[in-house]
């Protein structure tokens, strides 16, 4: 019982010595593990940017259900950034679509060529189609990282 009372008293003391909660006007604490994919070369501010993050070649780049995370970002003055929070360090690859009409799909011309902007991490390109996961792969070491991604049209 004395041990229990000592533990409770110590816990209360530890709580009392903690710094006060931040005021509502305080700036938020930065996210420790955050990957920011910053889009370069957007041709306009129409629609939004869709990003999918893959941790393996399984499903890359077309099967969003196999992505470990996906997000969309609004475009403001030709700028957009897809944010992925809470990632574990590791190898990843990103697929990006500039969805100018917000229909959530790539559009193609009569020759089968994409009519919307697209990109892959590492500025990877495929020869007669999408690049491989290996060519788009980059290493995220943890912490905060900004990855520039160049959109192609």
């Amino acid at each position: 019982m004395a041990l229990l009372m000592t533990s409770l008293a110590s816990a209360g003391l530890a709580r009392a010595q903690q710094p006060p909660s931040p005021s509502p006007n305080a700036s938020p604490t930065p996210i420790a593990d955050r990957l920011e994919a910053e889009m370069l070369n957007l041709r306009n501010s129409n629609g939004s940017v869709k990003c999918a993050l893959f941790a393996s070649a399984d499903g890359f780049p077309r099967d969003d259900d196999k992505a470990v995370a996906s997000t969309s970002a609004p475009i403001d003055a030709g700028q957009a950034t897809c944010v992925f929070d809470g990632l574990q360090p590791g190898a990843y690859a990103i697929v990006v679509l500039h969805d100018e009409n917000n229909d959530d799909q790539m559009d193609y011309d009569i020759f089968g060529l994409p009519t919307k902007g697209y990109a892959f991490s590492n500025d990877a390109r495929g020869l007669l189609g999408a690049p491989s996961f290996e060519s788009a792969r980059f290493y995220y070491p943890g912490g905060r990282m900004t990855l520039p991604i160049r959109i192609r049209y």
Side-chain angles (χ1 to χ4, degrees):
M1 182 74 160
L3 181 61
L4 178 60
M5 294 302 282
T6 304
S7 296
L8 291 174
S10 295
L13 180 60
R15 266 188 305 245
Q17 292 175 347
Q18 290 179 352
S21 298
S23 70
N25 296 331
S27 61
T29 304
I31 308 274
D33 293 319
R34 172 175 276 189
L35 172 63
E36 297 177 349
E38 185 178 89
M39 303 309 133
L40 307 174
N41 202 38
L42 289 165
R43 69 177 168 194
N44 58 49
S45 294
N46 299 339
S48 61
V49 172
K50 315 284 191 211
C51 299
L53 181 72
F54 290 83
S56 73
D58 187 26
F60 179 85
R62 290 182 178 83
D63 189 352
D64 289 346
D65 292 334
K66 302 227 175 163
V68 294
S70 60
T71 188
S72 64
I75 302 169
D76 184 24
Q79 307 261 327
T81 302
C82 288
V83 177
F84 300 97
D85 286 326
L87 292 180
Q88 295 295 315
Y92 295 96
I94 297 177
V95 179
V96 178
L97 169 67
H98 178 190
D99 194 2
E100 293 178 88
N101 61 359
N102 281 326
D103 67 353
D104 293 328
Q105 60 186 0
M106 176 57 85
D107 296 334
Y108 299 91
D109 66 14
I110 59 171
F111 301 107
L113 299 174
T115 59
K116 292 181 178 178
Y118 63 93
F120 301 92
S121 46
N122 275 347
D123 204 20
R125 292 195 214 183
L127 188 55
L128 294 174
S132 67
F133 174 82
E134 288 73 28
S135 65
R137 182 180 55 204
F138 64 94
Y139 184 75
Y140 169 70
R144 190 173 187 133
M145 179 179 171
T146 300
L147 187 70
I149 297 194
R150 193 171 83 131
I151 306 293
R152 299 186 183 284
Y153 292 93

